[in-house]
């Protein structure tokens, strides 16, 4: 098969055009694994120049491992790399947000060194200097006392909103719970510092969202890390581990969500409620 | 029929038959008690360190170090078990056996009482059956009571008395010597057991075991590993059970990081570490060693039955253990491992 010079020129032009169009994408490339998958992180809050920044975005990549901090209070996103203990800033346009809420760093991002960070109090505070600002990542104080779901979601959106986003409660169980004739209250004793609570309470928050408008009400009681069992409310209900959910049907305790019951909280809740209804 | 005046008068046949019947029942009871003691000793001999820890926990090492007490107790248990199994029911066997039974019941009874009154965690059994048998304090007490006490009572029934001349039968020296030799052998085995490749036999973590079956506690307080580490229930995982304060494990973090950085693949499943740590210990470890793998805080009650010595590793596929390793898993050497960049993007100003 032979081509005329004109055909060859056209083929070359098409190939060149394709390459030129593809070059930016090729240059940008796919991020390396270690720079991908920064997930919203809820255990720390940001303090800039001594003032808390409530709407700051803090991400963490387990693979790097590194923290990425983004806020309008700072000129650029800040990257804290745990292994090298370094602080660097990068251009905002090199941070790619993904649909699932995670963040990737593009590999050709230019990093500006800002020095190193200092860790104090077993990691409860991480401080560094970024340009002219003093930046502090500080462990959130625990959420204590009686709260509604909205308080938890506002306290740490990465934990209590993002944490339950992918959970899909059983539709049939939810429909059955919505038909519960008697008033039900679920009081959850939890610790905002407790990793298992951080995993399972968001699942119940999702269940609560699904049960909006039903006769089932939820309340959340935060306990401190030390002396948890000495809190009068915990003593009153004999709480010695968290998370523990007490289910009240018609004002009377009908059962508890503990241990494995948290794996599918709506199913456990339905079992307790059905049991209470049957024994009436 | 005439009877010679010189011929001795024989006892009627019926009482002799009765004595023989009760004798057999007693021997059977003794043998059953012996078997129970031998099974309990075997379970503990596989992991003598855990047994020594329980002895220390019960403050029974006030005279001798706990590991020594553990070895002596195992020797006694095996010696009595073998002697009873061989049908020796002399008082010098039955009295120590009775004391041992009372001792076991006092331990399980105490644990049961404490658990029932909320003083001790429900999952804390006395561990009389080692790691092989998972029992709640209530189960431990009632099982011990029902297995040991009737068998012990039977062992006292129909014991051989004096013969017609009012003399005792000669001592069962051969059987006693055999029991003594086996008791010494059991002590030697227990002494060497930690170095023998018996982890799969001695613990609940073995190929085929399910993540959802690794549990602690009873009733509503029961917690299983699939609740603590739900990620392990699907896909392939390489799991390391570790003590984060162990310098040996800390030295291995770089290799584990390199492995984790290479990304999960069918040949290299995602790595995670299970450890009985507080949030503070975990945070300190994180900032000091920068692990690139998740560390799951796991209650000791779930972890302890899974290992004899830390670290121990295993591979899971869809929530089922497919392989176990003593120590850390075989990892590619650091020099050849595809290590992730130390930090941040490669392009720097």
């Amino acid at each position: 098969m032979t081509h005329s010079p004109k055909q060859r020129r056209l083929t070359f032009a098409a190939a060149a055009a394709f390459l030129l169009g593809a070059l930016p994408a090729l240059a940008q490339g796919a991020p390396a694994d270690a720079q991908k998958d920064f997930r919203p992180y809820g255990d720390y809050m940001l303090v800039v120049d001594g003032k808390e920044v409530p709407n700051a975005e803090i991400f963490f990549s387990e693979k790097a491992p590194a923290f990425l901090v983004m806020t309008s209070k700072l000129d650029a996103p800040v990257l804290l790399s745990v292994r090298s203990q370094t602080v660097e800033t990068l251009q905002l346009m090199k941070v790619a947000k993904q649909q699932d809420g995670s963040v990737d760093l593009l590999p050709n991002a230019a990093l500006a060194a800002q020095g190193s960070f200092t860790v104090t109090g077993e990691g409860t505070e991480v401080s560094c200097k970024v340009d002219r600002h003093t930046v502090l990542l500080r462990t959130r104080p625990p959420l204590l006392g009686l709260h509604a779901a909205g308080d938890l979601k506002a306290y740490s959106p990465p934990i209590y909103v993002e944490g339950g986003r992918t959970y899909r409660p059983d539709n049939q169980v939810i429909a059955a719970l919505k038909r519960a004739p008697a008033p039900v209250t679920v009081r959850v004793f939890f610790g905002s510092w407790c990793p298992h609570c951080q995993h399972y309470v968001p699942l119940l928050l999702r269940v609560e969202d699904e049960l909006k408008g039903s006769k089932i009400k939820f309340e959340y009681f935060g306990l401190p890390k030390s002396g948890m069992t000495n809190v009068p409310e915990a003593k009153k209900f004999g709480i010695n581990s968290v998370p523990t959910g007490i289910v009240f049907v018609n004002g009377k305790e009908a059962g508890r969500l503990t241990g494995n019951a948290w794996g599918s909280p709506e199913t456990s809740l339905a079992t307790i409620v059905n049991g209470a209804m049957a024994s009436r | 029929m005439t009877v010679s005046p010189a011929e001795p008068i024989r006892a009627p046949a019926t009482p002799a038959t009765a004595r023989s019947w009760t004798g057999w029942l007693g021997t059977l009871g003794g043998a059953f008690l012996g078997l129970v003691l031998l099974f309990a000793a075997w379970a503990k001999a596989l992991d003598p360190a855990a047994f020594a820890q329980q002895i220390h926990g019960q403050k029974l090492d006030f005279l001798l170090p706990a590991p020594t007490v553990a070895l002596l107790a195992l020797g006694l248990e095996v010696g009595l078990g073998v002697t009873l199994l061989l049908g020796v029911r002399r008082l010098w066997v039955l009295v120590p056996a009775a004391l041992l039974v009372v001792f076991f019941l006092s331990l399980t009874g105490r644990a049961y009482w404490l658990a029932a009154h909320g003083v001790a965690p429900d999952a804390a059994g006395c561990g009389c059956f080692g790691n092989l048998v998972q029992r709640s304090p209530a189960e431990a007490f009632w099982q011990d009571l029902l297995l040991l006490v009737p068998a012990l009572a039977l062992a006292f029934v129909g014991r051989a008395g004096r013969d017609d001349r009012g003399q005792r039968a000669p001592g069962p020296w051969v059987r006693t010597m055999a029991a003594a030799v086996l008791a010494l052998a059991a002590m030697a085995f227990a002494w060497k057991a930690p170095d023998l490749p018996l982890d799969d036999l001695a613990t609940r973590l073995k190929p085929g075991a399910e993540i959802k079956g690794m549990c602690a506690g009873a009733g509503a307080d029961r917690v299983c590993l699939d609740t603590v580490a739900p990620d392990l229930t699907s896909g392939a995982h390489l799991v390391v059970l570790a003590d984060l304060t162990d310098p040996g494990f800390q030295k291995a973090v770089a290799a584990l990081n390199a492995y984790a950085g290479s990304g999960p693949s069918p040949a290299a499943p995602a790595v995670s570490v299970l450890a009985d740590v507080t949030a503070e210990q975990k945070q300190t470890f994180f900032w000091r060693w920068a692990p690139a793998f998740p560390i799951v805080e796991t209650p000791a009650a779930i972890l302890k039955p899974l290992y004899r010595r830390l670290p121990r590793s295993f591979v899971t596929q869809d929530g089922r253990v497919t392989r176990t390793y003593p120590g850390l898993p075989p990892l590619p050497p650091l020099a050849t491992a595809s290590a992730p960049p130390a930090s941040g993007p490669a392009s720097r100003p």
Side-chain angles (χ1 to χ4, degrees):
Chain A
M1 187 181 170
T2 54
H3 295 281
S4 67
K6 191 180 174 186
Q7 277 176 316
R8 280 201 296 269
R9 276 198 299 275
L10 278 173
T11 308
F12 175 78
F18 172 78
L19 272 176
L20 281 173
L23 264 178
L26 288 172
Q28 197 152 289
D33 266 356
Q35 295 144 234
K36 280 172 70 177
D37 216 20
F38 280 79
R39 300 259 161 199
Y41 190 79
D43 280 347
Y44 283 127
M45 60 185 197
L46 182 70
V47 179
V48 177
D49 298 328
K51 286 182 185 165
E52 189 188 332
V53 187
N55 55 356
E57 291 181 286
I58 303 172
F59 298 89
F60 173 64
S61 164
E62 206 161 61
K63 283 186 178 172
F67 289 90
L68 180 71
V69 179
M70 297 203 292
T71 169
S72 57
K73 300 285 177 195
L74 297 170
D75 299 338
V78 180
L79 185 72
L80 288 90
S81 300
V82 180
R83 207 166 293 158
S84 58
Q85 308 262 304
T86 53
V87 181
E88 292 153 308
T89 51
L90 67 156
Q91 299 152 284
L92 183 60
M93 61 187 294
K94 298 297 179 185
V95 175
K97 284 201 173 183
Q98 305 301 315
Q99 279 187 337
D100 64 356
S102 70
V103 158
D104 291 347
L105 301 190
L106 301 177
N108 61 342
L111 296 174
Q114 299 284 337
S116 60
F117 59 78
T118 313
V119 181
T120 50
E122 294 175 329
T124 50
E125 278 195 358
V126 181
S127 58
C128 60
K129 285 271 182 192
V130 178
D131 297 331
R132 311 164 305 280
H133 304 287
T134 305
V135 174
L136 201 64
L137 287 180
R138 182 182 285 162
T139 305
R140 288 180 193 277
L143 193 62
L144 302 176
L146 196 60
H147 292 277
D151 300 336
L152 274 69
K153 290 176 180 174
Y155 168 77
S156 180
I159 295 172
Y160 296 103
V161 180
E162 298 298 327
R165 199 181 287 283
T166 55
Y167 183 63
R168 297 278 172 268
D170 187 319
N171 285 334
Q172 285 184 331
V173 176
I174 292 292
L177 281 170
K178 277 183 174 171
R179 293 193 294 269
V184 175
T185 303
V186 183
R187 174 174 282 202
V188 180
F189 287 88
F190 76 108
S192 57
W193 41 267
C194 147
H196 301 303
C197 302
Q198 290 178 357
H199 183 84
Y200 287 110
V201 171
L203 310 190
L204 194 69
L205 288 168
R206 277 283 289 140
V207 172
E208 181 179 351
D209 287 343
E210 299 285 329
L211 289 173
K212 283 254 156 59
S214 73
K215 287 189 173 177
I216 303 179
K217 306 291 170 220
F218 294 80
E219 47 194 40
Y220 302 85
F221 197 98
L223 293 171
K225 193 187 285 186
S226 57
M228 178 180 84
T229 52
N230 293 329
V231 173
E233 197 72 359
K235 257 186 182 171
K236 181 180 164 189
F237 291 102
I239 304 296
N240 49 28
S241 68
V242 286
T244 295
I246 307 182
V247 183
F248 298 93
V249 179
N250 279 322
K252 284 184 180 173
E253 181 176 338
R256 294 190 176 204
L257 300 174
T258 53
N260 290 341
W262 283 99
S264 173
E266 74 279 9
T267 310
S268 309
L269 178 58
T271 307
I272 294 170
V273 172
N274 289 341
M277 296 298 174
S279 65
R280 281 172 74 193
Chain B
M1 184 179 170
T2 55
V3 176
S4 157
E7 201 172 333
I9 299 167
R10 294 184 189 280
T14 317
T17 310
R19 194 168 62 232
S20 160
W21 182 79
T22 53
W24 275 110
L25 196 64
T27 305
L28 209 64
F32 183 77
L33 180 61
L35 273 177
V36 174
L37 291 180
L38 285 176
F39 177 71
W42 164 248
K44 285 181 289 204
L46 289 170
D47 190 2
F51 183 37
Q53 209 175 342
Q54 284 154 6
I55 285 171
H56 180 68
Q58 299 284 349
K59 298 185 174 64
L60 298 170
D61 52 349
F62 51 90
L63 277 180
L64 293 166
T68 312
V69 178
L71 281 184
L72 291 174
L74 281 170
L76 177 71
E77 207 170 344
V78 170
L80 289 173
V82 173
T83 319
L84 286 167
L85 193 62
L86 294 177
V88 181
R89 292 187 293 130
R90 296 293 173 89
L91 279 182
W92 52 265
V93 175
L94 290 180
V95 170
L99 290 175
L100 202 60
V101 168
V102 169
F103 175 66
F104 283 159
L105 286 175
S106 68
L107 288 185
T108 51
R110 181 171 170 266
Y112 181 24
W113 189 89
L114 289 174
H117 290 77
V119 182
D122 198 28
C126 91
C128 293
F129 285 79
N131 279 332
L132 286 179
V133 182
Q134 182 185 14
R135 308 187 299 172
S136 69
E139 285 168 348
F141 176 73
W142 288 112
Q143 279 175 7
D144 281 6
L145 191 77
L146 294 174
L147 280 174
L148 300 174
V149 173
L152 177 69
L154 280 179
F156 278 93
V157 171
R159 293 193 316 114
R162 294 169 193 279
D163 64 15
D164 296 339
R165 287 166 297 183
Q167 290 178 339
R168 277 203 153 278
W173 301 118
V174 175
R175 287 178 285 172
T176 307
M177 284 307 292
V181 168
L182 284 173
L184 285 173
M187 288 166 74
F189 172 76
W191 184 42
K192 283 285 172 196
D195 300 322
L196 300 175
L198 299 170
D199 285 339
D200 287 355
L201 194 64
T203 68
R204 287 179 216 149
L205 177 60
K206 58 195 82 183
E210 285 189 295
I211 295 296
K212 66 180 180 191
M214 298 171 185
C215 307
D221 291 332
R222 188 170 173 82
V223 181
C224 300
L225 192 53
D226 61 335
T227 304
V228 174
D231 288 351
L232 299 185
T233 54
S234 60
H237 296 269
L238 173 61
V239 186
V240 181
L241 311 178
D243 170 7
L244 299 189
T245 61
D246 170 21
F249 177 70
Q250 290 169 350
K251 276 182 198 160
V253 171
L256 281 169
N257 278 350
Y259 175 89
S262 64
S265 70
V271 64
S272 39
V273 168
L274 306 185
D276 171 30
V277 281
T278 62
E280 289 81 7
Q281 286 171 326
K282 183 178 160 184
Q283 214 162 24
T284 305
F285 182 86
F286 172 79
W287 286 106
R288 182 158 181 211
W289 299 100
F293 44 82
I295 296 168
V296 183
E297 296 160 53
T298 313
I302 293 180
L303 277 188
K304 185 63 198 84
L306 305 183
Y307 68 88
R308 294 192 300 168
R309 202 184 268 183
L310 290 175
R312 191 177 181 213
S313 323
F314 60 100
V315 177
T316 64
Q317 180 67 49
D318 297 328
R320 190 179 285 274
V321 177
T322 56
R323 188 157 189 195
T324 62
Y325 301 99
L328 290 165
L331 296 168
L334 265 182
T336 56
S338 55
S343 69
S347 164
R348 287 165 193 277

